[in-house]
Amino acid sequence: MSGYKANILVVDDEPDIRQLVQEILQDEGYIVYMAGNAEEARRLKLRHQPDLILLDIWMPDTDGITLLKEWGEDELFVSPVIMMSGHGTIETAVEATKLGAYEFLEKPLSLARLLLVVERAVDAHMLQRENAGLKQQLSVVNEPVGRSAFAERIKEQLKRLAQHDTKVMFVGESGVGKELYARFLHEHSGRKNGPFIDVAVGSIAPENAAVEFFGKEIEGAVFPGLLERAHGGVLFLAEIAGMDAQTQLKLLSALESRSFLRVGGTEQVHVDVRVMVSTRVILENEVKEGRFRQDLYYLLNEVTMEVLPLRKHSEDIPALLQFYVDYFVQHEKLAFRKFTMSAQNFLRNYIWPGNVRELKNLVQRLMILGAGDDIELAEVKTALGTVLDSVAVEQQDSVPIFFKLSLKEAREQFEKAYLEYHFEKNQGNVAKLATAVGVERTHLYRKLHALNIKE
């Protein structure tokens, strides 16, 4: 994977073997750590979370089979293990395979076979990570829609940027799709098989930020943080202006050194992460007002990408309407409906204060709450009245769909709409939001996180 070097831990009590394997693997571009016994192997595994482990069977303190069994009982351990032995037997190989070993290599090592097996094991591990990431993103639409000059220009720029590991800052109003463009960039980059970890910065309470970003260690167990989970891929920080001062300082240090200490840990963890951020506020003003660190701003703002509000590329609106109709038919099994020409023309001239997010939500409401094949102009105008009025649009049976929800679902819909409105009104500032809605800040952080309110 371009831009990413896999970490390999070599565990063998013979110094000559360790050095030979290290030199060969380093020549192939891998990062190699070496351990001469089981105790050192445990420590280095905990510290570096390797992508692959080469493990000798015969060692002076604890044999490799016992160590493999020990690691196999750790639910968080996912690295493939290749066993090595100069005294290998069929029974030993079978036992290692049953315990989860990826492959068994006999000594003296065939260097050609070693490289082949290592490459396959690393590729399998990366594919496993990619599939895990895809499962979390099944509902995410990653191709920006539209053929306006803006849409074509930004997609072309992002494809060029994808060839480099530059940090990118996406700037634009709420709801314009900044995360979507970040994902588009990621999918055209050499890191596309790595994870894309998106973080709603405003939903992380300051007192929890260290554990969230850097993870923790408790009695030998490792709980990876956001930076570690993004290793080999992208960490996307949505609405970076909402980060508290202490977390800004710690993040700056981690990004500059590409390393950090887990909470409760004693050894540095090294990561390879591309960082992208988004902001709806003018971050230079936040720097001038002393609310955002100037050094972190310059570190993150290597390239700025401005994402225009929908009203400034309104020629894309018909295509977006059609796209989201098809999307909800496919993903939510809603009945197909189409916008009449008069409805489309009206929406092309609408100001869209909530941008593409508002358009998506409008299409969803009209498809859920409306009836008939056509979406007429009058129905669109009614739906654009207010959020609360829109949920009372009646279907043919004259019973509002809102009343058919459970009390919990109805409450969640109201809370999400209510908090999104006030979150936007207060420019994404959680402290101001807490004052405006009369909710204690710690509880509010949890609520924003639970309702997935970000950007």
Side-chain angles (χ1 to χ4, degrees), residues 153-391:
R153 183 178 68 254
I154 194 170
K155 283 188 280 189
E156 185 58 36
Q157 290 173 340
L158 292 174
K159 287 179 182 178
R160 290 202 300 270
L161 272 176
Q163 308 312 308
H164 310 278
D165 251 4
T166 314
K167 297 180 184 68
V168 183
M169 180 176 292
F170 292 87
V171 180
E173 295 178 5
S174 176
V176 294
K178 299 187 283 290
E179 181 183 332
L180 172 64
Y181 287 105
R183 288 185 182 275
F184 179 79
L185 190 162
H186 174 56
E187 291 184 355
H188 287 81
S189 75
R191 292 176 178 268
K192 63 183 179 181
N193 292 330
F196 184 99
I197 304 298
D198 60 300
V199 185
V201 172
S203 68
I204 298 177
E207 60 269 23
N208 298 330
V211 171
E212 290 280 351
F213 279 100
F214 308 121
K216 62 182 177 181
E217 295 180 23
I218 301 177
E219 298 178 350
V222 173
F223 300 90
L226 294 164
L227 275 166
E228 222 168 328
R229 287 164 50 203
H231 181 58
V234 168
L235 180 67
F236 178 76
L237 303 173
E239 298 308 324
I240 188 69
M243 182 176 289
D244 67 282
Q246 189 63 30
T247 305
Q248 289 178 36
L249 177 60
K250 291 179 180 178
L251 182 64
L252 172 68
S253 174
L255 294 181
E256 285 183 330
S257 65
R258 295 194 171 196
S259 63
F260 54 88
L261 285 173
R262 302 187 190 100
V263 175
T266 58
E267 299 195 40
Q268 292 287 322
V269 179
H270 298 274
V271 291
D272 174 20
V273 174
R274 181 178 192 172
V275 178
M276 304 184 203
V277 303
S278 73
T279 177
R280 75 180 86 183
V281 302
I282 301 174
L283 216 53
E284 294 95 323
N285 293 343
E286 298 298 300
V287 172
K288 290 176 183 176
E289 296 294 329
R291 291 188 292 268
F292 198 85
R293 294 185 64 94
Q294 185 178 53
D295 43 9
L296 181 59
Y297 169 72
Y298 286 126
L299 179 70
L300 296 174
N301 191 26
E302 291 182 345
V303 175
T304 298
M305 294 297 298
E306 182 184 8
V307 183
L308 295 180
L310 184 54
R311 61 184 175 276
K312 292 191 176 180
H313 57 108
S314 57
E315 58 267 45
D316 289 328
I317 288 171
L320 283 164
L321 293 171
Q322 182 60 55
F323 174 84
Y324 282 114
V325 166
D326 294 338
Y327 174 83
F328 288 119
V329 168
Q330 179 180 354
H331 291 271
E332 297 192 12
K333 310 303 180 187
L334 297 178
F336 177 82
R337 305 187 72 199
K338 65 179 184 294
F339 286 84
T340 63
M341 191 58 65
S342 59
Q344 290 187 50
N345 287 335
F346 174 81
L347 292 174
R348 282 194 61 168
N349 294 294
Y350 177 61
I351 60 172
W352 295 107
N355 292 295
V356 178
R357 181 190 294 127
E358 182 185 5
L359 183 146
K360 178 183 177 181
N361 291 343
L362 174 68
V363 173
Q364 184 179 32
R365 290 201 305 272
L366 289 168
M367 293 181 70
I368 291 174
L369 303 173
D373 294 337
D374 293 335
I375 301 175
E376 303 283 357
L377 175 58
E379 186 180 359
V380 168
K381 288 182 176 180
T382 299
L384 286 173
T386 67
V387 173
L388 294 179
D389 286 340
S390 69
V391 297

Side-chain angles (χ1 to χ4, degrees), residues 201-204 206 241-244 291 422-423 426-442 444-445 448:
V201 172
S203 68
I204 298 177
M243 182 176 289
D244 67 282
R291 291 188 292 268
H422 285 285
F423 199 49
N426 288 281
Q427 293 82 45
N429 187 304
V430 179
K432 292 181 180 178
L433 174 63
T435 302
V437 301
V439 176
E440 195 272 328
R441 196 188 304 187
T442 301
L444 186 58
Y445 278 115
L448 293 174

Side-chain angles (χ1 to χ4, degrees), residues 403-414:
F403 291 172
K404 296 182 179 180
L405 300 176
S406 69
L407 180 59
K408 180 177 181 294
E409 290 172 325
R411 184 188 297 116
E412 285 180 353
Q413 281 196 10
F414 168 75

Side-chain angles (χ1 to χ4, degrees), residues 15 22 27 45 54 56-57 86 97 107 111 114 123 133 243 246 284 339 388 391 413 419 439 447:
Q22 180 187 34
D27 287 344
K45 181 186 83 70
L54 292 171
D56 187 31
I57 287 182
T97 303
K107 296 178 182 178
L111 301 186
L114 170 68
D123 287 346
M243 182 176 289
Q246 189 63 30
E284 294 95 323
F339 286 84
L388 294 179
V391 297
Q413 281 196 10
L419 289 174
V439 176
K447 180 64 70 175

